[in-house]
Amino acid sequence: MSRKNYSHFCDVISFDSTYSTNQYNMIFAPFTGVNHHLQNIFIAANEKTESYEWLFKTFLVAMGGVAPRLIITDEAASIRAAIAKIFPDTIHRLCMWHIMEKFPEKVGGYSSVNDENSDFWPRLNACVWGSETGEEFESDWNSLMSDYGLDGNEWIQNRYRIREEWIPAYYMDVPLAGVLRTTSRSESANSFFNHFIHRKLSFVEFWLRFETALEWQRKEELKADNKSIHSAPQLKTSWPMEKQGSVLYTHEVFVSFQKEVVAARDHCWVQNIALSDKMKIVTIGDGRKKVRDIHT
């Protein structure tokens, strides 16, 4: 079943080696994908033995020699080196959730950040999540760090140096399957396993509970499949595009698509239409964000 899931959803894989260990200090490091219902699916789970190189080689053997197109991990140098050697053609990005989770600890001692009137966190989130180009991110980031006196923070400086590895603005053209841009993806995976396993388990107990967790997860996917097949979501516009989306997508994916359709209906308008070299340029505005030029 894991091989079948991987054959369908191997575009983006998250590998988390920070989650937990058992009573023998063996690391539990799940390979997590995202299915067509936007649910986590656990492709495989392995313990670190001699090195991550062995682990990734074993993963390749288990999955028929097919490497993931994109893998998301924490910042461990050993993982980075192993990926470069075993998955040389795989795009490697760092987990935003792990990085953003550390921010409160790293800036907690700055009075400017802790001031009750501080808008540091909204500005940080807007900078990290909302920037659309590297130039926009760098301008907003440097302004934010200067305003709050964080220019000399070594940890923040290091995160800025590796910004192209974790800030979405630098790879807007890379499909991420909702993994990197969903900060709760790693957190929800950890929370899921907390219902089934804990540190005091022996290896046999762990394996039995892990099998139970997989069985529960697969039942949830079957329930979502049944709902998408035998029911139709409620439409909110008369647009043929929305109706077509309701047929093509699972319910969970359609909800995200529908939000964009409704937002386009309620908040966007055509500001201008121009012809240039046999190309139609439509300028779209929404009153809040940037004006968009669509070339057709």
Side-chain angles (χ1 to χ4, degrees):
M1 190 59 163
S2 290
R3 292 189 181 98
K4 180 179 179 181
N5 280 336
Y6 186 73
S7 69
H8 290 296
F9 308 114
C10 65
D11 296 280
V12 181
I13 297 298
S14 173
F15 175 69
D16 186 2
S17 63
T18 67
Y19 172 60
S20 180
T21 58
N22 65 6
Q23 64 174 316
Y24 310 113
N25 288 322
M26 300 172 72
I27 295 174
F28 173 51
F31 289 85
T32 306
V34 179
N35 70 9
H36 52 312
H37 298 291
L38 304 182
Q39 298 169 330
N40 285 344
I41 51 170
F42 299 102
I43 307 299
N46 297 278
E47 291 73 36
K48 179 182 176 184
T49 56
E50 296 296 325
S51 68
Y52 286 110
E53 287 185 15
W54 173 89
L55 176 60
F56 294 146
K57 286 179 182 177
T58 304
F59 180 82
L60 278 179
V61 171
M63 297 302 159
V66 179
R69 293 181 178 86
L70 183 146
I71 188 167
I72 299 167
T73 74
D74 59 41
E75 298 179 63
S78 55
I79 295 179
R80 185 193 303 269
I83 289 173
K85 183 174 181 179
I86 308 303
F87 300 147
D89 298 322
T90 297
I91 300 170
H92 180 208
R93 293 293 179 262
L94 302 179
C95 177
M96 294 183 70
W97 180 76
H98 281 116
I99 294 175
M100 295 297 285
E101 187 188 38
K102 295 176 183 176
F103 255 92
E105 171 191 347
K106 301 301 180 180
V107 303
Y110 291 81
S111 58
S112 57
V113 174
N114 294 323
D115 188 293
E116 63 179 16
N117 296 319
S118 168
D119 63 350
F120 174 79
W121 297 109
R123 285 181 62 185
L124 175 65
N125 287 325
C127 174
V128 169
W129 298 106
S131 298
E132 297 183 4
T133 65
E135 292 78 9
E136 181 183 354
F137 167 78
E138 290 162 18
S139 175
D140 291 347
W141 177 278
N142 289 328
S143 175
L144 179 62
M145 298 306 136
S146 177
D147 289 349
Y148 286 88
L150 300 174
D151 305 86
N153 185 297
E154 183 178 356
W155 183 84
I156 288 179
Q157 288 179 346
N158 288 334
R159 302 293 81 66
Y160 182 75
R161 291 192 191 101
I162 61 171
R163 58 192 179 278
E164 294 185 9
E165 299 179 36
W166 67 283
I167 295 297
Y170 292 96
Y171 40 91
M172 299 290 282
D173 58 332
V174 178
L176 299 173
V179 176
L180 200 66
R181 291 194 63 84
T182 306
T183 54
S184 61
R185 183 65 64 180
S186 294
E187 185 179 18
S188 64
N190 294 352
S191 177
F192 170 79
F193 277 117
N194 283 340
H195 293 293
F196 298 92
I197 62 177
H198 55 80
R199 184 176 175 82
K200 294 182 179 180
L201 293 177
S202 67
F203 183 73
V204 173
E205 291 173 315
F206 160 80
W207 187 253
L208 291 174
R209 294 195 181 201
F210 177 70
E211 288 286 299
T212 300
L214 288 185
E215 182 180 353
W216 185 90
Q217 184 186 78
R218 289 162 184 167
K219 285 183 178 178
E220 289 300 301
E221 181 175 339
L222 288 174
K223 287 164 61 176
D225 280 339
N226 183 70
K227 182 179 179 182
S228 286
I229 293 171
H230 298 290
S231 65
Q234 183 178 356
L235 302 181
K236 295 184 179 180
T237 75
S238 59
W239 294 359
M241 180 172 63
E242 185 192 14
K243 183 173 179 59
Q244 182 183 28
S246 71
V247 176
L248 293 176
Y249 299 136
T250 61
H251 286 1
E252 293 76 15
V253 174
F254 176 72
V255 167
S256 297
F257 171 74
Q258 187 181 56
K259 288 180 181 178
E260 298 296 327
V261 171
V262 172
R265 180 197 65 185
D266 295 345
H267 303 293
C268 297
W269 66 90
V270 176
Q271 292 185 344
N272 185 52
I273 298 178
L275 295 177
S276 176
D277 297 329
K278 298 181 180 180
M279 181 179 295
K280 181 187 290 185
I281 303 175
V282 182
T283 303
I284 305 293
D286 67 2
R288 296 178 295 112
K289 301 179 181 179
K290 300 175 182 177
V291 172
R292 309 290 180 183
D293 285 337
I294 301 175
H295 298 251
T296 61

